[in-house]
Amino acid sequence: MINSLIDLLDSLQSEEDCREFLEAIRWDGGSAPICPHCGSQSKEHYKLTNGGQYRGLHKCKDCNKRFTVTVGTMFEGSHIPLRKWFVAIYMFLAHKKGISSMQLHKDIAVTQKTAWFMLSRIRYNLRNIKYIIYGDVTQVDETYIGGKNKNRNAGKRLKNTRGRSLKLKTPVMGMLSNGRVYTEVIPKASKWILHGVINSLVPKGTTVVTDGWYGYKGLSENYVHKVVDHHRGEYVKGGYHTNSIEGFWSQLKRGIIGVYHLVTRKHLELYCDEFAYRYNTRNLTDGERFSQFLSIAKKRLRYRMLIL
């Protein structure tokens, strides 16, 4: 069992160790390989050797196509050793506020461009993973991600903008229930957008807690709407509050400001999903979160998709 980065480095000292570890997670302990081409799972798939040495290459007994454990995963086609991938994934998931590509490239001895692509691939596999089951009470709030106009260079400052101007910042909507958070980047925090997201996800008749933002008015038609008006100095009202979702926003913003420094609108959704995943799996150990991620990392992001 891997409980720390030291455990990972001690247990997985070679590519063969990493491959066997991945096979154990993806293939029922490694005893029954699954063909990614036709889905056939069998202990009778052929093991192919190179110079008499087995290196994890199989041939499906049903469709006759070749495969390894990395085919059909985020590692397919990568020239980066699995051991470096595993170290990057472990640190990315274990660090509460993430890890920058500049730091990662120093830690695992790859270029900064490669480190950025690796982190993007990891985030890509966290897209739309919604570990949230809505309970009796759901907290809803919105926040704005982006820098301040006064911090821009003099020649790049925008005129006629306010603190929450959409020219400067991007609105993000969040919902928290049963200790799990869901985020969604939205074009603006208008009533019809906020209501549309809530109505599509939150079961009718449940209690929805919001602040006093006008965009939430009218929710009482489908929900038990509790309003905690911060402008009136209210932070807990009748036992209801939005402190939990606001705590998540604080963690997200501290991570972006302190670690990543800048996140563009194009990639903001991926960063929100990154922080939501770590928040929603906070009760797991770092080793459990690492193993869980390897079991779901099946999406392959190509570089040209990332830069389009």
Side-chain angles (χ1 to χ4, degrees), residues 128-143:
N128 303 318
I129 297 179
K130 312 304 182 186
Y131 288 101
I132 181 168
I133 300 175
Y134 294 93
D136 296 333
V137 179
T138 299
Q139 298 179 26
V140 181
D141 195 26
E142 81 292 334
T143 193

Side-chain angles (χ1 to χ4, degrees), residues 22 29 54 57 61-62 65 74 101 110 115 156 159-160 170 175 179-180 188 197 209 211 215 234-235 256 283:
L22 188 59
Y54 168 64
L57 182 62
K61 72 179 185 65
D62 294 318
K65 292 184 178 180
M74 65 176 287
S101 59
V110 297
K156 295 183 178 180
K159 297 181 179 180
N160 302 319
T170 304
M175 292 180 285
R180 303 290 180 90
K188 58 181 179 179
V197 175
V209 187
D211 58 20
E234 298 175 350
Y235 293 94
I256 290 177
N283 293 327

Side-chain angles (χ1 to χ4, degrees), residues 238-286:
Y240 296 101
H241 59 83
T242 57
N243 296 340
S244 300
I245 184 65
E246 289 170 1
F248 171 76
W249 291 143
S250 177
Q251 183 175 312
L252 171 66
K253 290 182 177 181
R254 295 279 71 77
I256 290 177
I257 294 171
V259 176
Y260 299 122
H261 305 313
L262 174 66
V263 175
T264 63
R265 293 175 188 244
K266 174 183 176 181
H267 299 295
L268 179 58
E269 186 85 47
L270 293 175
Y271 284 84
C272 289
D273 287 343
E274 166 194 339
F275 280 85
Y277 180 80
R278 277 197 292 264
Y279 183 89
N280 291 339
T281 58
R282 64 192 181 280
N283 293 327
L284 299 179
T285 66
D286 292 337

